[in-house]
Amino acid sequence: VLYPDLPEHGLIVLIGASGAGKSTLARTWPSSQVLSLDALRGTVSDEPGNQEATGDAADILKLILERRMARKLNTVIDATNVEETVRMELVTAAKRHGMPTVAVIVATPLTVCLQRQSLRPDSRRVPEDIVRSQHRAMVHSHQRLTAEGFNTVIFADALNRLEPYLNRLSQ
Ligand code: GTP
Ligand code: MG
């Protein structure tokens, strides 16, 4: 168990801008438990960075999540999840299945998220204005998450608290 206050079987929604470190954090869970919107875009279009494929990828993500929750399996959603409508759909599905919900805010500073973009290949680089708006939405989402129905809200400051978990991974 990654954090002591996480339920053993629940819905874990990572929230953060591109480059915040969501996929890096997600790798601390067994890979079968992680639903990555990027990976599913790749599955439907051969291009993980193809924004046109987001709708199709999101449809598949929701279908798999549904089937996993019917089995009461723990699932981690690796996507930006900075929009309330996106989160509400996930929370509603979890409540329907009686699964506890956890929001994990990956609150990496904007400057770091932007700097990490510059290290990526063109096909994986998210434009600066989009990263800025995702980061703003992440900050804005913070005080809303409990009202949205999340049972637990956790911070994973990728610069600080993630480091021990990454170290544990490499042991
Ligand atoms: P998107 O998929 O574009 O939304 O980004 P993401 O939030 O999944 O970010 P990702 O996990 O791909 O991390 C971006 C870069 O930051 C990668 O090169 C990681 O190696 C690095 N990184 C992520 N988390 C940490 C951390 O805690 N410490 C350090 N040093 N580097 C990190
Ligand atoms: Mg990612």
Side-chain angles (χ1 to χ4, degrees), residues 18 70 87 93 103 106 110 118 123 127 131 149 154 161:
S18 175
R87 292 191 299 266
V106 187
L110 175 63
S118 63
S123 63
V131 179
I154 291 174
R161 287 198 268 164

Side-chain angles (χ1 to χ4, degrees), residues 22-24 36 38 78 120 124:
K22 300 179 298 297
S23 300
T24 305
S36 154
D38 261 336
D78 177 12
R120 287 183 173 182
R124 285 285 292 117

Side-chain angles (χ1 to χ4, degrees), residues 7-19:
E8 206 176 331
H9 304 286
L11 171 67
I12 296 166
V13 178
L14 306 184
I15 300 169
S18 175

Side-chain angles (χ1 to χ4, degrees), residues 2 5 9 18 43 55 68 88 105 116 121-122 135 158 168:
L2 187 61
D5 42 354
H9 304 286
S18 175
T43 301
R68 290 184 58 80
M88 286 308 294
I105 307 175
R116 286 174 179 168
D122 283 356
H135 195 273
R168 190 185 305 170

Side-chain angles (χ1 to χ4, degrees), residues 59-103:
D59 285 348
I60 291 167
L61 186 148
K62 284 179 267 183
L63 179 63
I64 300 172
L65 175 62
E66 195 65 34
R67 298 297 196 268
R68 290 184 58 80
M69 289 197 300
R71 293 180 169 81
K72 302 286 176 234
L73 293 173
N74 189 63
T75 306
V76 179
I77 307 296
D78 177 12
T80 56
N81 296 314
V82 292
E83 291 169 40
E84 177 161 351
T85 52
V86 169
R87 292 191 299 266
M88 286 308 294
E89 234 180 313
L90 297 170
V91 169
T92 303
K95 302 272 178 219
R96 199 166 2 93
H97 288 278
M99 300 284 283
T101 51
V102 182

